[in-house]
Amino acid sequence: RYLIARHYPTSGLGNMMQSLVSSFLLAVLTNRIFVHDSLLIADLLRFPRFPGASTNYSRVYEEAGAAHVAMNSQFVVYRGEEWLLCGDPSEVLGAQYVFFESDQYFGGVIANNPLYAHLLS
């Protein structure tokens, strides 16, 4: 199960970084593998990697195959909906490959979710 972080094409670097950090936190808390779909982020950041591993989505796409990814994907654009604050994100993020797009910092919203508040305090 993967969370693929995306950003709006018009996002500035600051918004991309905020969204990236928040998406990483969401991936960890929902037991998903975090990858990103951005060549700009890949160029700017040097994530620690194991030999042969990649944090860029294109590698996952190549290994799993286009048909498999297409049949098992979900696209979520986060704009501040309450399900992240009050509900169980695992119920909303049901597909194997979740493309999560945002350009805002929502880590504070996750930290206030009763399911995760005790883990993050």
Side-chain angles (χ1 to χ4, degrees):
R1 296 171 48 97
Y2 296 85
L3 188 133
I4 300 102
R6 304 179 85 184
H7 57 82
Y8 301 133
T10 56
S11 295
L13 181 60
N15 287 22
M16 282 191 286
M17 300 311 261
Q18 291 178 358
S19 177
L20 187 70
V21 169
S22 301
S23 297
F24 176 77
L25 179 61
L26 183 61
V28 168
L29 292 173
T30 57
N31 295 318
R32 291 181 170 272
I33 297 169
F34 173 78
V35 292
H36 60 83
D37 186 15
S38 171
L39 296 176
L40 176 63
I41 296 296
D43 288 341
L44 290 175
L45 299 177
R46 300 289 178 218
F47 289 102
R49 295 187 177 103
F50 298 105
S54 175
T55 57
N56 192 292
Y57 161 71
S58 60
R59 175 97 181 244
V60 174
Y61 188 79
E62 291 168 4
E63 291 179 5
H68 176 75
V69 172
M71 295 295 296
N72 296 287
S73 291
Q74 173 185 7
F75 295 86
V76 176
V77 177
Y78 182 73
R79 294 187 179 106
E81 295 85 359
E82 288 189 14
W83 61 265
L84 192 54
L85 176 62
C86 302
D88 182 357
S90 297
E91 292 176 3
V92 176
L93 309 176
Q96 182 177 3
Y97 301 95
V98 174
F99 291 83
F100 196 87
E101 187 168 321
S102 179
D103 72 342
Q104 56 187 292
Y105 175 73
F106 51 90
V109 174
I110 297 170
N112 287 308
N113 184 314
L115 291 174
Y116 304 121
H118 69 283
L119 294 172
L120 300 173
S121 59

